[in-house]
């Protein structure tokens, strides 16, 4: 809007192509040089409600709007551009507009703080890999643009070839603060909240006591039928919002670029509520908070009217943004110069394909990317956030940790039980706890600290004992997705771990956050047990940093609530859904073991296990949390039992259909050993020593992985469908086995010449097959493979077989599921895993390493056949193969021997096996660099191991009152 206005002020004709109503533009710009053309070329994000984006519907709508009719859109737009004799196309940020401009021979420029390839890339994880082509096409379209005019608060936008940063784009004021207040009949000293919240839920009643005493609220976007309390005022629908924002003392609403930029420009404290899956929001939010302009309100408090604590806190802020606010004018000047042939770009870049850069590594995730040869500057607010994240939210690098002695970390706490084992990350957590305690005693305890830091410091009673547990992530060496089919799996605990600190207090001694305290007071409940949780590392994600609930919320009368109710409880606010992994452990202990909790709990989670990389970050959180809670309450639970209970958390409370190997590896694993486990359901066979001449690495592809994603769930369902079909075939063969009228069907590979009892017993066993992995490969090939369909519609399967006998997944009758490959994979994976385990004990030789590597490769390509491979992991495996078969490796007897995708697939991390030599480490670094050269993403390398939760035990610590 502001860019168009400044272009028109410069004397240029501006054609606006939009699906928005005309008045959006004509009320702000009154000029014959403005021409509005009503055409819908994209659809943005489809909202399920006022606070939630529907990811699947967004991709479906975009496909209907811009993918299916793409050819006709391009033809129409090219013809129209030529007809109006356009000199320049400016896109905000419609992808097809850039391609149409190129086809018409006209330059194009994008002006934005986000791009749809980045936004939709995260949705692909929920929709399945088949929708990735949408993201690739968008990136390809953007790559035709001359350059990007980038607005502050921007997201990663790797598809653009060059970037020019401009100041904030802010709508100008029409009236002064005094004029607005006079028109509204408000005194200058009247405290005013502007409620700028579109799409208010139907039937939502605003409450008079939601506001602090003496405040009034101006409500934007209220319906005509909406009845308001006396201290709330309804504003006309066509009111000019920027004037009202500048005339108010505080704003409550959702973060969008308009509200964000105006709050910063007019130094207005902004109380905001997160929008789920609105993926530009974390970057706007982080910049807002950096300039001390934002306070987050949790969704539950907004809907229940518990506003006052947040408003009071917001009015104590001192917003300090002092940057430019004339971005519309600056952008217009750049565009005018570009239209007349003046170049503002400093880069003479090749026209690289955005899609080719995304395809391998950066389709999913929040990394800030840099295109090779284009050193894009990182703004101060972003760099500052990363600095805070590294200081307070995550664990230190090896280089930093190794320089610090253990005494620096543990001196502030007396360790009453347990041993920190000189683990660098544990020592760092102890130091971090000391910093939290020190912050409560400092006069400037709010300075330069994240919200997570302040919330954690405020919830612990530093005179009382704290229990700390640790659980590592895991590298899936063999087994992977075959765990839910009963396979042997081999898992290595990685160096990176999750720490959870738990403190229990009587409700009268529990320190409460202000909004939690206000909720208890409003309910007239008095001190009751509560759970307060802080999770570090949420700054640039859609995850809320804190969560709190009454312990009574887990009760239905005298009994714990059902898992289904719990799942719905946590699903109400997706920004806090992560809390199901933590608080869900409490409900499982109540339900499965009958534990009765009476005290409040403060829980702090600090994890160095990266999310979305396929190394079981969720299992590490669950196991560490349950271990710490058990220790704090004197519960003696064996590591294996903790793993099984944590699987229930993930399956039934979170709703992710994972097997048990992740939790078992995290709970029962030991440093520098492989945990061997038969997943029927969780029989630990022992620990396998990693021979000294062999080493394993993990290399992250940068493609975000989720066991809750569509592809993983479909493959799991397909495997259980295959088992059901095999049982039906075996049952039919068995029932006909002794029939005198029975004769093999044409093409049947089995001939029943010898009607021996053993043959029938085999068929009977297969007719009641509990786990696919109990079927040997030769039996599968001889009897069943040819009868298993490649795929089947859910509706057809249910009609014939009723159900698939899996308690944690549900068949979608409208979905078509792969069956043959998901059925075959675990049968052969179990065979591969058994051979791998046996080979590890063989005498060291090139043949041994080559055979181990070959088993990894076979597993990798079996994942691909199931449909849960990814381009990034394929690229890494290809690079390892190139390294293995290079001339240098052959002359040096080779160092790297094999690689495979791990865990749930569809991205994540690749496991690599090689010789335990410096040359191997050098080759891993070379693979890392080649991947970066190819994709612009430098992968994280997992190297080393650490103890599982059972081996670590727990720490019982108490702050030394005489510590300095």
């Amino acid at each position: 809007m502001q860019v168009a206005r400044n272009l028109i002020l410069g004397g240029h004709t501006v054609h606006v192509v939009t699906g928005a109503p005309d008045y959006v533009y004509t009320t702000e710009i009154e000029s014959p040089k403005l021409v509005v053309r009503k055409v819908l070329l994209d659809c943005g994000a489809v909202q399920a409600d006022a606070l939630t984006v529907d990811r699947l519907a967004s991709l479906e709508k975009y496909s209907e709007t811009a993918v299916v009719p793409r050819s006709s859109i391009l033809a129409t737009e090219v013809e129209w551009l030529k007809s109006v004799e356009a000199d320049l196309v400016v896109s905000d940020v419609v992808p097809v507009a850039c391609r149409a401009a190129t086809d018409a021979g006209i330059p194009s420029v994008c002006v934005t703080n986000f791009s749809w390839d980045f936004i939709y890339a995260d949705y692909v994880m929920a929709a399945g890999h088949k929708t990735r082509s949408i993201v690739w096409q968008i990136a390809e379209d953007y790559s035709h643009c001359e350059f990007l005019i980038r607005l502050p608060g921007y997201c990663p936008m790797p598809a653009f070839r060059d970037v020019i940063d401009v100041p904030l784009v802010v709508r100008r004021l029409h009236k002064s603060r005094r004029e607005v207040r006079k028109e509204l009949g408000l005194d200058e000293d009247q405290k005013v909240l502007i409620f700028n919240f579109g799409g208010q839920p139907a039937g939502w009643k605003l409450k008079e006591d939601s506001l602090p005493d003496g405040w009034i609220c101006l409500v934007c976007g209220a319906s005509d039928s909406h009845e308001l309390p006396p201290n709330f005022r309804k504003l006309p629908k066509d009111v000019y919002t920027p004037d009202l924002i500048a005339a108010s003392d505080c704003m409550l609403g959702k973060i969008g670029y308009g509200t964000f930029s105006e709050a910063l420009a007019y130094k207005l404290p902004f109380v905001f509520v997160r929008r789920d899956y609105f993926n530009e929001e974390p970057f706007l939010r982080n910049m807002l908070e950096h300039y001390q302009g934002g306070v987050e309100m949790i969704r539950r408090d907004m809907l229940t009217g518990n506003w006052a604590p947040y408003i009071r806190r917001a009015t104590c802020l001192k917003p300090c943004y002092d940057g430019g606010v004339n971005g519309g004018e600056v952008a217009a000047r750049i565009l005018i110069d570009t239209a007349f042939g003046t170049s503002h770009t400093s880069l003479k870049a090749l026209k690289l394909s955005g899609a080719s850069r995304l395809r391998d590594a950066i389709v999913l995730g929040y990394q800030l990317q840099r295109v090779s040869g284009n050193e894009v500057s990182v703004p101060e607010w972003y760099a500052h956030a990363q600095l805070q994240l590294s200081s307070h939210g995550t664990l230190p690098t090896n280089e930093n940790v190794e320089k610090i002695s253990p005494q620096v970390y543990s001196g502030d706490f007396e360790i009453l039980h347990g041993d920190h084992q000189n683990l660098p990350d544990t020592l760092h957590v102890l130091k971090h706890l000391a910093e939290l305690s020190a912050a409560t005693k400092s006069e400037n305890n709010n300075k330069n600290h994240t919200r997570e830091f302040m919330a954690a410091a405020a919830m612990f009673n530093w005179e009382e004992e704290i229990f700390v547990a640790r659980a590592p992530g895991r590298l899936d060496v063999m087994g992977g997705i075959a765990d839910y089919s009963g396979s042997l799996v081999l898992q290595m605990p990685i160096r990176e771990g999750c720490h959870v600190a738990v403190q229990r207090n009587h409700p009268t001694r529990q320190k409460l956050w202000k909004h939690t305290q206000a909720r208890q007071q409003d309910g007239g409940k008095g001190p009751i047990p509560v759970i307060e949780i802080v999770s570090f590392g949420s700054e640039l994600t859609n995850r809320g940093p804190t969560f709190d609930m009454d312990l009574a919320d887990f009760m239905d009368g005298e009994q714990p609530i059902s898992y289904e109710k719990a799942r719905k409880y946590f699903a109400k606010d997706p920004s806090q859904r992560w809390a199901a992994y933590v608080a869900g452990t409490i409900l499982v202990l109540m339900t499965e073991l009958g534990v009765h909790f009476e005290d409040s709990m403060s829980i702090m989670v600090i994890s160095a296990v990266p999310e979305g990389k396929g190394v079981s970050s969720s299992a590490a959180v669950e196991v560490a949390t349950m271990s710490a809670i058990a220790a704090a309450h004197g519960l003696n639970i064996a590591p294996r039992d903790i793993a099984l209970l944590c699987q229930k958390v993930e399956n039934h409370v979170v709703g992710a259909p994972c097997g048990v190997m992740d939790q078992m590896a995290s709970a029962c694993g030991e440093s520098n050993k492989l945990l061997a486990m038969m997943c029927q359901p969780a029989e630990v066979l022992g620990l396998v020593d990693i021979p000294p001449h062999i080493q394993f690495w993990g290399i992250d592809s940068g493609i975000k992985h989720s066991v809750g994603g569509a592809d993983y769930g479909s493959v799991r369902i397909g495997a259980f469908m295959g088992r059901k079909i095999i049982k039906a075939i075996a049952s039919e063969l068995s029932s006909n086995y002794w029939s005198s009228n029975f004769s093999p069907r044409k093409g049947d590979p089995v001939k029943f010449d010898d009607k021996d009892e053993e043959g029938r017993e085999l068929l009977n066993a297969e007719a009641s097959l509990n786990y696919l992995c109990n079927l040997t490969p030769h039996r599968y090939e001889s009897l069943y493979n040819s009868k298993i369909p490649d795929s089947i519609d859910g509706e057809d399967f249910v009609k014939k077989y009723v159900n698939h006998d899996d308690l944690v997944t549900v068949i979608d009758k409208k979905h078509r599921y792969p069956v043959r490959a998901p059925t075959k994979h675990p049968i052969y994976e179990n065979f591969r895993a058994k051979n791998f385990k046996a080979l590890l004990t063989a005498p060291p030789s090139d043949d041994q390493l080559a055979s181990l590597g070959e088993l990894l490769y076979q597993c990798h390509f079996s994942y691909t056949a199931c449909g849960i491979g990814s381009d990034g992991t394929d690229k890494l495996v290809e690079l390892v193969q190139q390294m293995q078969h290079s001339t240098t490796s052959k002359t040096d007897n080779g160092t790297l021997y094999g690689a495979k995708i791990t865990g749930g697939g569809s991205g994540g991390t690749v496991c690599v096996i090689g010789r335990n030599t410096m040359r191997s480490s050098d080759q891993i670094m070379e693979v890392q660099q080649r991947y970066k050269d190819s994709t612009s993403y430098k992968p994280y390398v997992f190297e080393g191991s650490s103890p599982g939760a059972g081996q670590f035990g727990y720490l019982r610590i108490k702050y030394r009152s005489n510590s300095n």
Side-chain angles (χ1 to χ4, degrees):
M1 177 81 73
Q2 296 308 303
V3 173
R5 190 176 69 84
N6 281 283
L7 287 170
I8 289 171
L9 288 174
H12 304 281
T13 299
V14 175
H15 294 262
V16 177
V17 181
T18 180
D22 290 4
Y23 72 80
V24 173
Y25 297 92
T26 56
T27 54
E28 173 70 6
I29 305 171
E30 297 180 6
S31 170
K33 291 186 176 291
L34 173 68
V35 182
V36 179
R37 175 174 170 250
K38 295 294 291 296
V39 176
L40 184 65
L41 297 178
D42 69 357
C43 63
V46 177
Q47 293 197 193
D49 57 46
L51 290 170
T52 305
V53 171
D54 188 326
R55 294 172 292 174
L56 301 184
S58 296
L59 291 174
E60 289 172 4
K61 186 66 175 176
Y62 184 82
S63 182
E64 293 171 8
T65 305
V67 177
V68 174
R70 178 177 172 84
S71 298
S72 61
I73 288 174
L74 279 172
T76 301
E77 294 310 298
V78 169
E79 182 180 353
W80 175 79
L81 285 170
K82 291 178 178 178
S83 71
V84 298
E85 298 180 348
D87 298 300
L88 179 68
V89 170
V90 183
S91 176
D92 176 28
V93 255
V94 180
V96 74
C98 303
R99 178 56 185 267
T102 297
D103 290 352
I106 302 167
S108 65
V109 175
C110 284
V111 182
T112 187
N113 66 297
F114 74 92
S115 58
W116 288 113
D117 54 335
F118 172 75
I119 301 297
Y120 287 157
D122 190 50
Y123 301 173
V124 166
M125 188 171 60
H129 73 281
K130 293 178 181 177
T131 58
R132 287 181 298 179
S133 58
I134 291 176
V135 176
W136 299 344
Q137 185 62 70
I138 290 173
E140 186 70 54
D141 285 347
Y142 285 148
S143 70
H144 291 283
C145 147
E146 296 298 312
F147 58 88
L148 165 69
I149 295 179
R150 189 170 59 183
L151 308 182
Y154 57 80
C155 301
M157 292 181 279
F160 294 98
R161 293 178 288 119
D162 203 359
V163 173
I164 300 173
D165 287 307
V166 298
L168 280 177
V169 174
V170 182
R171 290 182 289 181
R172 62 194 179 99
L173 297 180
H174 293 172
K175 298 173 184 176
S176 68
R177 173 186 172 95
R178 178 171 295 181
E179 288 173 325
V180 172
R181 285 183 167 246
K182 184 176 180 180
E183 287 182 4
L184 295 172
L186 301 175
D187 296 334
E188 277 298 309
D189 58 353
Q190 173 65 58
K191 292 295 184 182
V192 177
L193 172 75
I194 180 168
F195 184 45
N196 193 0
F197 190 95
Q200 296 168 28
W204 186 26
K205 291 186 178 180
L206 299 172
K207 300 178 181 179
E208 184 175 355
D209 60 0
S210 294
L211 305 179
D213 293 340
W215 281 68
I216 70 163
C217 179
L218 305 177
V219 182
C220 302
S223 64
D224 295 336
S225 61
H226 202 162
E227 295 183 6
L228 301 181
N231 53 347
F232 285 72
R233 293 192 187 182
K234 192 180 299 183
L235 295 170
K237 292 190 183 300
D238 60 351
V239 70
Y240 189 63
T241 310
D243 288 346
L244 291 164
I245 289 175
S248 299
D249 299 290
C250 185
M251 177 163 57
L252 170 58
K254 301 176 288 189
I255 293 181
Y257 196 84
T259 53
F260 151 84
S261 64
E262 285 151 14
L264 285 177
Y266 305 132
K267 294 182 169 55
L268 182 73
F270 188 178
V271 178
F272 60 86
V273 182
R274 295 192 189 212
R275 284 193 273 182
D276 308 317
Y277 313 121
F278 190 69
N279 291 341
E280 67 170 309
E281 182 182 281
F283 302 89
L284 302 177
R285 183 182 72 236
N286 201 59
M287 183 174 175
L288 184 70
E289 292 179 339
H290 172 65
Y291 290 110
Q292 301 179 44
V295 170
E296 180 177 352
M297 178 188 291
I298 63 175
R299 179 181 301 194
R300 178 179 55 192
D301 284 341
M302 187 202 70
L303 296 176
T304 58
N306 186 27
W307 298 2
Y310 300 95
I311 296 170
R312 293 191 190 100
R313 181 181 165 196
T315 53
C316 295
L317 297 176
K318 295 180 180 179
C320 58
Y321 179 74
D322 56 0
V325 295
N326 62 335
E329 181 183 345
V330 173
R333 287 202 302 267
I334 295 170
L335 293 170
I336 292 168
D337 289 348
T338 302
F340 283 99
T342 302
S343 173
H344 279 263
T345 61
S346 59
L347 175 68
K348 302 297 182 184
L350 295 173
K351 214 165 195 183
L352 300 173
S353 164
S356 67
R357 294 200 300 272
L358 286 175
R359 190 170 291 132
D360 287 335
I362 57 178
V363 171
L364 305 170
Y366 289 108
Q367 291 87 358
L368 183 65
Q369 301 298 333
R370 298 188 182 190
V371 178
S372 180
N374 182 8
E375 291 302 313
V376 180
S377 61
V378 178
E380 178 196 0
W381 63 266
Y382 194 105
H384 180 76
Q386 290 187 317
L387 178 63
Q388 286 187 330
L389 186 64
S390 63
S391 299
H392 302 299
T394 58
L395 298 179
T397 61
N398 290 337
E399 292 80 3
N400 293 335
V401 161
E402 290 168 359
K403 296 176 184 176
I404 306 175
S405 65
Q407 288 74 19
V408 175
Y409 288 109
S410 58
D412 295 308
F413 282 93
E414 180 183 1
I415 298 179
L416 305 174
H417 172 86
D419 180 8
H420 56 59
Q421 302 182 29
N422 280 322
L423 291 170
D425 56 353
T426 303
L427 298 174
H428 177 80
V429 167
L430 293 174
K431 177 174 180 286
H432 188 65
L433 283 165
E435 291 172 350
L436 291 171
S437 177
T440 62
K441 302 174 178 63
S442 171
E443 294 181 2
N444 298 319
N445 63 338
N446 286 342
K447 268 198 167 183
N448 299 320
H449 290 313
T450 63
R451 281 186 296 134
E452 293 98 322
F453 186 94
M454 293 185 289
M459 75 175 179
F460 282 117
N461 187 333
W462 295 105
E463 288 75 39
E464 302 297 331
E465 293 178 352
I466 297 173
F467 294 79
V468 180
R470 178 191 185 279
R474 65 95 188 96
L475 182 64
D476 167 34
V477 177
M478 288 297 293
I481 59 166
D483 63 342
Y484 53 68
S485 294
S487 178
L488 170 68
V489 297
L490 301 170
Q491 308 295 305
M492 185 183 80
I494 59 175
R495 180 190 60 194
E496 292 76 7
C498 171
H499 288 76
V500 173
V502 172
Q503 184 180 75
R504 56 182 290 198
N505 287 301
H506 189 273
T508 58
R509 291 183 55 79
Q510 176 71 18
K511 292 190 174 182
L512 300 177
W513 296 320
K514 290 181 180 178
H515 68 272
T516 311
Q517 187 175 19
R519 189 175 69 245
Q520 287 202 3
Q521 291 172 348
D522 291 345
K525 302 173 183 177
I528 60 173
V530 298
I531 303 166
E532 293 182 316
I533 307 172
V534 174
S535 173
F536 280 81
S538 67
E539 283 91 339
L540 295 180
T541 73
N542 275 320
R543 188 178 76 239
T546 63
F547 174 84
D548 65 280
M549 64 180 292
D550 296 337
L551 189 58
D553 291 343
F554 273 154
M555 297 300 294
D556 187 359
E558 297 297 318
Q559 298 297 321
I561 63 173
S562 68
Y563 289 144
E564 183 181 0
K565 284 185 178 179
R567 190 161 57 249
K568 291 178 180 177
Y569 177 91
F570 289 108
K572 288 178 182 177
D573 185 352
S575 70
Q576 294 193 317
R577 189 175 292 167
W578 60 268
Y581 294 97
V582 183
T585 62
I586 297 171
L587 178 62
V588 168
L589 288 170
M590 293 166 64
T591 303
E592 304 297 330
L593 301 186
V595 180
H596 183 63
F597 295 101
E598 295 180 344
D599 289 337
S600 294
M601 281 182 254
S602 299
I603 303 174
M604 182 185 76
V605 181
I606 300 182
S607 183
V609 185
E611 296 177 38
K613 299 190 184 302
V615 290
S616 300
S617 59
S618 60
V621 170
E622 293 155 359
V623 171
T625 301
M626 189 171 286
S627 299
I629 290 172
H633 291 83
L635 304 175
N636 185 17
I637 308 175
R640 178 183 181 276
D641 294 331
I642 280 184
L644 291 170
L645 291 168
C646 288
Q647 185 197 17
K648 289 184 181 292
V649 176
E650 189 138 2
N651 286 171
H652 302 305
V653 182
V654 177
C658 71
V660 73
M661 75 172 188
D662 297 352
Q663 290 81 6
M664 290 293 291
S666 188
C668 304
E670 293 189 10
S671 182
N672 296 311
K673 296 180 180 181
L674 299 182
L675 178 74
M677 183 181 71
M678 187 65 75
C679 301
Q680 299 189 15
E683 181 188 351
V684 175
L685 302 182
L687 294 160
V688 181
D689 289 324
I690 300 173
H693 67 288
I694 291 176
Q695 186 169 355
F696 297 99
W697 297 265
I699 307 179
D700 163 43
S701 67
I703 298 178
K704 198 172 181 182
H705 151 86
S706 169
V707 295
D711 303 320
Y712 177 91
S714 294
V715 171
R716 176 172 177 143
I717 290 171
F720 277 83
M721 285 178 167
R723 181 171 70 101
K724 190 68 175 276
I725 294 170
I726 286 172
K727 290 171 68 175
I729 296 170
S731 179
E732 180 186 0
L733 290 174
S734 177
S735 64
N736 292 323
Y737 198 72
W738 294 101
S739 172
S740 59
N741 296 322
F742 174 72
S743 61
R745 289 164 293 188
K746 186 177 181 180
D748 198 319
V750 181
K751 298 186 181 298
F752 300 111
D753 295 331
D754 299 320
K755 297 181 178 179
D756 55 284
E757 187 64 28
E758 290 80 4
R760 185 168 185 178
E761 286 178 0
L762 272 175
L763 288 173
N764 287 338
E766 289 159 4
S768 58
L769 191 66
N770 288 329
Y771 296 97
L772 270 176
C773 291
N774 289 339
L775 187 64
T776 59
H778 78 271
R779 288 287 292 179
Y780 170 76
E781 292 291 349
S782 65
L783 275 172
Y784 304 110
N785 181 59
S786 63
K787 300 183 181 69
I788 303 291
D790 287 334
S791 61
I792 191 171
D793 290 329
E795 185 174 8
D796 292 340
F797 180 87
V798 170
K799 281 181 182 178
K800 186 171 183 179
Y801 300 100
V802 183
N803 59 59
H804 64 319
D805 299 333
D806 181 18
L807 298 178
V808 298
T809 57
V810 177
I811 293 174
D812 180 354
K813 292 183 180 180
K814 297 180 181 179
H815 188 77
R816 189 165 186 85
Y817 293 94
V819 180
R820 180 177 292 170
T823 301
K824 184 175 182 177
H825 172 81
I827 295 169
Y828 278 84
E829 182 68 4
N830 184 47
F831 180 77
R832 286 189 288 263
K834 289 179 177 179
N835 278 276
F836 195 95
K837 180 174 178 288
L839 277 166
L840 283 174
T841 61
S845 68
D846 283 345
D847 287 344
Q848 177 205 33
L849 281 163
S851 297
L852 289 167
E854 180 60 29
L855 291 170
L856 290 188
Y857 286 137
Q858 288 180 16
C859 173
H860 177 79
F861 293 111
S862 184
Y863 264 72
T864 301
C866 289
I868 49 174
S870 77
D871 299 288
T873 49
D874 285 349
K875 182 68 176 178
L876 284 168
V877 171
E878 178 188 338
L879 289 171
V880 171
Q881 287 179 321
Q882 290 175 3
M883 201 67 64
Q884 176 185 358
H885 299 299
S886 66
T887 304
T888 305
S889 292
K890 288 178 179 178
T891 56
D892 292 347
N893 284 329
T895 54
L896 302 184
Y897 285 87
K900 65 177 275 284
I901 192 172
T902 61
S906 297
T909 294
V910 161
C911 172
V912 181
I913 187 172
R915 289 185 186 277
N916 185 13
T917 64
M918 286 298 298
R919 174 61 181 152
S920 296
S921 295
D922 290 343
Q923 289 199 332
I924 291 291
M925 296 304 106
E926 191 171 345
V927 169
Q928 180 189 46
Q929 184 59 46
R930 288 186 184 183
Y931 190 78
K932 180 176 183 289
D933 293 343
S934 175
T935 67
S936 298
Y937 174 77
K938 184 177 182 179
Y940 185 93
V941 174
F942 296 94
E943 184 173 7
S945 183
S946 67
Q951 187 182 19
F952 179 83
Y954 68 89
L955 303 180
R956 179 165 60 93
I957 62 175
K958 191 170 184 179
Y959 194 74
R960 299 179 192 272
S961 58
N962 60 347
S963 295
N964 294 322

